[in-house]
Amino acid sequence: MDFWELTVRFFSLADANVRQVIAGSILLGGAAGALGCFAYLQRRSLLGDALAHAALPGVGLAFLIVGQKEFVPLLLGATATAWLGALSINAIDRYTKIKLDAALGIVLTVFFGLGIVILTHIQKSGSGSQAGLGSFIFGQAAAMSRQDVVALAVVTVCMLSVVTIGYRHFKLVSFDTGFAFAVGLPVGRLQFILTTMIVLAVTVGLQAVGVVLMAAMLITPAAAARQWTDRLPRMLMLASIFGMLAGLFGSYISFLKPSLPTGPWIVIVVSGIFAVSILFSPRRGVLIRILRHYQHRGKITRDHLVKSLYRVGMERENWYAYYPVSEIAHMWSFTPTELRSGLSQLTAQGFLEREVDMYRLTQNGVSAGARVTRLHRLWEVYLTRYLELPGDHVHRDAEDMEHIITPEMEEQLSQMLDHPVFDPHLQPIPYPTEQKGV
């Protein structure tokens, strides 16, 4: 089959095995994404990784007891040892001086080592029914049966129902444990329920992505969703959607390339979603932060240009004289790129006029230069009057603040200082009314 025939066959859901893999992967992605938000917000992101590794010996022990690779017994065994791992982490964190990250590392390595020993023993036992048991390490979504999907659906619906019912309390515990205690919430019981659900999410996902990669399904969708919103309901929804999309398209890629396992592809897809989120999200994205940084640097350069020309105009009592670029360059420590860019932008914005290779302030430019000078000197007055700093120690702080003070802050600052006439260096503070005759 070519690419398009495989694509049509996959999305038409004509193959029963494809339906089971898609359903299982989407259920896992949706549930793990939502529950991972609470672990992420409680700064316990590595908890899922530790619990996933702690579940491995439970899989082996359940197989030794049952003698068959049945989903429900293996799930119960994985849940039991994962829970034991969670209790061990809490006990180490609470009753010893070992920090939480070290406790997570200790439990992860001890339980994973024990799980490898048990699985190795089973594989060398010669039991024919142990075939495929090792897939719990890296996952094997393609091996999910209808029974596995049904069990996964039941567990997922139960977990999401608990989250919906206890949402307000879980939200309070996740954001402010101290306040939750103060208002009388049973914090210990709520954290027990949250940990139990995380354990269940981890154990039901072992079949699809394995113990090594399950932590990615739990935390990565939550971390990606956090880049897009500050509201928990939206974060839960986005994390679930990201998890489901990763399950769907990870299964699709694995279907196109059957030699490649589904679990790692699911993790790669959700990692791609995280990469897109951290680069392009409108508030926390790396690119928007870089853009804001350069925009702020550009504003600082423009402020310094109009302020420098305004101050020279004050000294010469002529704000509208033309100055060559070479002379403007020495008014402040501009780089050649900053100077050319700043002059070009101020001219386009109507703050400067250009004649050949010379520039001068316009009426708007004089007002802008006066405002930057005013903000600088008002802030110097504030620092010397209220923080009692020496006058020769306030210039640098005022340089930083003059670019970020809004008109509302300027008005409040001026009123609080009772509209001072001079700064600490006895330089006049230019108010707008003084510029009417300019």
Side-chain angles (χ1 to χ4, degrees), residues 12 15-16 19-20 77-78 94 111 114 161 219 277 320 396:
S12 66
D15 192 319
R19 291 198 297 271
Q20 292 167 6
R94 177 174 295 184
F111 278 77
L114 180 61
S161 299
I219 297 304
S277 301
Y320 298 107
R396 177 62 62 185

Side-chain angles (χ1 to χ4, degrees), residues 1 12 45 94 109 167 170 185 187 199 202 220 232 237 257 262 301 316 383 407 415 423:
M1 287 188 185
S12 66
S45 298
R94 177 174 295 184
T109 52
Y167 167 74
F170 293 141
L185 287 182
V187 174
V199 167
V202 166
T220 310
L232 183 56
M237 183 181 66
K257 298 289 186 183
T262 307
T301 298
R316 300 180 184 179
L383 292 175
Q415 288 183 5
D423 71 1

Side-chain angles (χ1 to χ4, degrees), residues 208-289:
V209 296
V211 298
V212 176
L213 302 176
M214 187 55 213
M217 289 302 297
L218 199 65
I219 297 304
T220 310
R226 186 68 180 89
Q227 306 303 312
W228 297 92
T229 181
D230 292 326
R231 295 174 63 88
L232 183 56
R234 291 179 186 170
M235 183 179 173
L236 291 170
M237 183 181 66
L238 284 174
S240 295
I241 292 173
F242 291 159
M244 289 189 286
L245 288 175
L248 175 63
F249 286 99
S251 304
Y252 169 61
I253 297 171
S254 180
F255 181 77
L256 295 178
K257 298 289 186 183
S259 59
L260 303 175
T262 307
W265 274 118
I266 292 175
V267 173
I268 289 173
V269 172
V270 79
S271 300
I273 293 173
F274 172 74
V276 170
S277 301
I278 204 167
L279 283 175
F280 299 106
S281 62
R283 294 186 60 184
R284 295 186 173 85
V286 172
L287 293 184
I288 195 68
R289 289 168 62 185

Side-chain angles (χ1 to χ4, degrees), residues 355-432:
E355 187 173 297
V356 192
D357 201 25
M358 302 176 71
Y359 291 86
R360 73 171 188 177
L361 290 171
T362 63
Q363 179 72 38
N364 289 336
V366 173
S367 299
R371 181 173 186 271
V372 179
T373 304
R374 180 167 64 252
L375 296 179
H376 181 100
R377 293 175 179 175
L378 283 174
W379 193 251
E380 286 185 331
V381 173
Y382 174 84
L383 292 175
T384 54
R385 187 179 298 180
Y386 285 93
L387 299 187
E388 299 181 353
L389 295 177
D392 56 350
H393 283 63
V394 296
H395 176 73
R396 177 62 62 185
D397 291 332
E399 282 291 333
D400 295 334
M401 289 298 297
E402 68 187 24
H403 309 292
I404 60 176
I405 295 177
T406 63
E408 294 77 14
M409 291 171 62
E410 175 190 350
E411 179 62 27
Q412 291 183 6
L413 183 64
S414 183
Q415 288 183 5
M416 183 172 64
L417 298 172
D418 196 22
H419 305 285
V421 178
F422 296 101
D423 71 1
H425 313 290
L426 300 180
Q427 296 291 321
I429 298 176
Y431 289 100

Side-chain angles (χ1 to χ4, degrees), residues 79-151:
T79 303
T81 53
W83 236 113
L84 184 60
L87 292 176
S88 302
I89 292 168
N90 287 335
I92 294 172
D93 184 43
R94 177 174 295 184
Y95 299 113
T96 72
K97 293 185 178 180
I98 297 174
K99 293 185 178 180
L100 178 61
D101 58 342
L104 291 168
I106 292 169
V107 170
L108 184 153
T109 52
V110 169
F111 278 77
F112 188 61
L114 180 61
I116 293 296
V117 168
I118 295 174
L119 289 183
T120 304
H121 169 72
I122 294 172
Q123 288 170 351
K124 292 184 176 180
S125 66
S127 173
S129 57
Q130 57 83 28
L133 203 58
S135 65
F136 280 89
I137 297 177
F138 296 108
Q140 190 174 12
M144 280 195 292
S145 65
R146 185 173 181 276
Q147 180 187 4
D148 297 339
V149 175
V150 171

